[in-house]
Amino acid sequence: MATQHSRSAARIMMAPAVVLLLGWMLVPLTMTLYFSFKRYLPLRGGDLGWTGFDNYVRFVSSSAFWPAVQTTLLIVGGVLVITIALGILLAILLDQPMWGQGIVRILVIAPFFVMPTVSALVWKNMFMDPVNGLFAHLWRFFGAEPISWLSEASLPSIVMIVSWQWLPFATLILLTAIQSLDSEQLEAAEMDGASPLNRFWFIILPHLSRAVTIVLLIQTIFLLSIFAEIFVTTGGAFGTRTLTYLIYQRVLESQNVGLGSAGGVYAIILANIVAIFLMRIVGKNLDA
Amino acid sequence: MGQIQLNQVTKSFGDVQVIPPLDLTIEDGEFAVFVGPSGCGKSTLLRLIAGLEDFTTGHIEIDGKDATAVPPAKRGLAMVFQSYALYPHMTVRKNIAFPLRMAKMDQAEIDRRVENAASILNLSDYLDRRPGQLSGGQRQRVAIGRAIVREPAAFLFDEPLSNLDAALRVGMRMEISELHKKLATTMIYVTHDQVEAMTMADKIVVLRAGHIEQVGSPLELYRTPRNLFVAGFIGSPKMNFIEGAEAAKHDAHTIGVRPEHISVSAEGGEWKGVVGLSEHLGSDTFFHIHETGLAETITVRADGEVAFRSGDTVYLNPRADVIHRFDANGLRIG
Ligand SMILES: Nc1ncnc2c1ncn2[C@@H]1O[C@H](COP(=O)(O)OP(=O)(O)OP(=O)(O)O)[C@@H](O)[C@H]1O
Ligand SMILES: [Mg+2]
């Protein structure tokens, strides 16, 4: 797209998509902003007029706000750490030549195809159930008292479920990155006297940094808005209420659309802060 | 400090034997060049010596000690790869220092050696750049720098110049030769470029399908090729092979005459032919002569000023003292 002509042609051809996407984004965004300045209670009188920044003040001064932000960041951070660490390990394992490689790779990717609602329900009922769950049986087999996962260790349980869903994504991206590593570099390092651990640390890990950045960014964006996993497991109880879940409760359970919309605007701001922050840290990896 | 000896070495990938039993000794301080057509096993042989591939059978001795089971890092050899295999995320300084860091050498000694290598290779101005910001020739020198700081018993080069353009190649060829003189370390150099082999080597090893066809100094191979393969492989343009009655006159099945050993004239000579294609290099002209009744084409090297046109009838005179004779099995006679 070097010439003037081809550039303007490209613009015209991209225009419909851009306009559509803009509309798609702008309409809900404007409506959220609009409602966030209104006192709007659908079952208790409907639209009660403008309130200025009242909703914003009430949303943050609520006792549920800061814990929700903390929970959100804990879940996102926990899942990122687990998926990236295990993802790198799995990617290295899957890169080794082995029998049945194709099938193993498909199996590893499989969790990604399971809908979040379904996988959370499967985890809740088949693994984490304190009476009939597999974990409960395992604990009893070793003579231990079964844990009621979702009430006693609710946050770690949710981190575990979500990590299980996102691990394939991380693994897949990291695996393709590992496969693009020039094998002569590893051989050169081997001749230079680097032990397998040193080869991992000095050659493989730096090579993966770009892929890790991408995983980090994409996952953060999606993880900030996880909802189904919480909805079907704890319903926001036991300290698992994230910002998204709090907004949902304000809008649907308290029937306060204005307050929820203000929360939505905060969520947008939080997501952008996190995104800018991440871009800053890892940005230099992307342009190198 | 760098004698390498291969005893009855073989290498198979699955059922395919790439290297049949092979014996080879490379003396300390020697510059040995492996040449051969593509796929003949040059890289494989080098990787076997480096320890990057396992022997199927046989063993290797380095300085008289069996090194067959010794891992690559402990063999004391340094390798320069065709793709250079520099570490892209490290600066030139870190690249060169990497083997020393792995050896847990102290920082002052590392700095001293890196500076020293950089000055030998004219890299001092580039130490803080990354490989991506260097030209091909500079990358090549970094790869060599990474090899020399370790002060290895021998250097292994796998076609190190094949990614460079012609002018740079000539320059690097001389730099490597000079480096060899300066360091006096054993070097094994793989190439398929004749000129590199002839100009750099103390000893050329000609390989075909994993077999050693001949080992010798460049001039030995040029003057007394042991068989038709070596005769055809060494020398450019290729030696002319003539069979039949003309060869029988010399009591041989095949005779070979190099293009530079035939003179061409318009007046008269031993053989007669018609000029086909001529290649003008400026300094030399190569004529392809047809209809001689000896072989399909006879190539002749003449002075750049000699001008014949396509279709001219010319006479050829081979120099009698440099006619190579081969028997029916392709082996040299006399
Ligand atoms: N890992 C491998 N598995 C199977 N066959 C291999 C392997 N590596 C090399 N070969 C085969 O061994 C033979 C020799 O390969 P090698 O790379 O040593 O050739 P080479 O002489 O270096 O050729 P070139 O000049 O093209 O680099 C080739 O026929 C190649 O197909
Ligand atoms: Mg090769």
Side-chain angles (χ1 to χ4, degrees), chain A residues 178-200:
Chain A
I178 282 193
Q179 285 171 338
S180 75
L181 177 59
D182 178 12
S183 65
E184 284 196 349
Q185 264 183 45
L186 287 176
E187 287 177 347
E190 191 178 347
M191 294 216 59
D192 283 345
S195 64
L197 207 63
N198 278 336
R199 291 205 285 278
F200 172 74

Side-chain angles (χ1 to χ4, degrees), chain B residues 42-44 82 158-159 190:
Chain B
K42 306 181 292 288
S43 298
T44 308
Q82 180 173 355
D158 192 357
E159 306 202 21
V190 167

Side-chain angles (χ1 to χ4, degrees), chain B residues 35-314:
Chain B
V35 291
S38 188
C40 69
K42 306 181 292 288
S43 298
T44 308
L45 194 54
L46 201 68
R47 294 166 58 83
L48 284 169
I49 295 174
L52 294 171
E53 302 275 358
D54 290 326
F55 294 88
T56 305
T57 61
H59 40 115
I60 179 171
E61 281 173 21
I62 298 175
D63 285 331
K65 284 189 282 291
D66 191 355
T68 314
V70 177
K74 299 266 158 60
R75 291 192 183 186
L77 309 175
M79 184 148 167
V80 176
F81 292 83
Q82 180 173 355
S83 67
Y84 313 145
L86 299 178
Y87 311 126
H89 52 277
M90 297 183 199
T91 59
V92 169
R93 184 190 301 279
K94 290 213 172 123
N95 262 284
I96 297 179
F98 188 73
L100 307 179
R101 252 176 100 192
M102 291 299 109
K104 303 211 165 54
M105 202 171 273
D106 67 70
Q107 193 59 43
E109 176 67 7
I110 293 182
D111 289 341
R112 196 188 61 75
R113 288 209 196 182
V114 170
E115 300 292 338
N116 186 28
S119 74
I120 291 178
L121 295 164
N122 283 328
L123 283 171
S124 302
D125 296 341
Y126 308 106
L127 279 177
D128 294 313
R129 293 209 202 166
R130 296 207 181 177
Q133 300 162 319
L134 297 178
S135 74
Q138 290 163 344
R139 281 180 217 184
Q140 175 61 57
R141 291 205 290 262
V142 176
I144 294 175
R146 194 172 62 186
I148 64 178
V149 283
R150 293 175 52 197
E151 299 177 355
F155 290 97
L156 311 175
F157 293 94
D158 192 357
E159 306 202 21
L161 306 186
S162 58
N163 289 341
L164 303 181
D165 69 48
L168 205 50
R169 219 185 273 191
V170 176
M172 287 305 299
R173 208 162 71 203
M174 288 180 358
E175 284 185 33
I176 293 178
S177 292
E178 270 169 27
L179 194 69
H180 178 241
K181 281 213 190 70
K182 204 178 298 178
L183 302 175
T185 311
T186 313
M187 292 191 176
I188 304 178
Y189 189 102
V190 167
T191 181
H192 53 233
D193 183 322
Q194 287 235 6
V195 184
E196 281 175 28
M198 296 298 285
T199 54
M200 301 168 91
D202 295 324
K203 172 149 102 186
I204 296 183
V205 179
V206 183
L207 291 164
R208 174 167 61 163
H211 273 290
I212 294 183
E213 295 286 321
Q214 190 170 359
V215 179
S217 73
L219 287 181
E220 246 172 80
L221 298 197
Y222 179 80
R223 290 190 185 133
T224 52
R226 210 173 69 188
N227 56 31
L228 282 176
F229 178 80
V230 178
F233 195 79
I234 301 287
S236 171
K238 226 173 128 212
M239 186 187 277
N240 297 297
F241 293 120
I242 299 162
E243 293 179 0
E246 188 64 32
K249 279 195 216 160
H250 294 86
D251 292 326
H253 180 265
T254 310
I255 56 168
V257 190
R258 296 197 184 275
E260 53 270 41
H261 296 151
I262 303 176
S263 59
V264 54
S265 72
E267 283 83 42
E270 210 166 313
W271 303 328
K272 183 179 164 203
V274 178
V275 176
L277 188 72
S278 30
E279 296 170 276
H280 299 277
L281 302 187
S283 59
D284 301 312
T285 306
F286 300 137
F287 293 110
H288 297 258
I289 314 287
H290 302 289
E291 296 170 36
T292 52
L294 306 167
E296 196 168 336
T297 324
I298 299 279
T299 313
V300 177
R301 195 186 95 180
D303 201 86
E305 309 302 321
V306 178
F308 289 110
R309 296 200 181 168
S310 181
D312 287 356
T313 300
V314 291

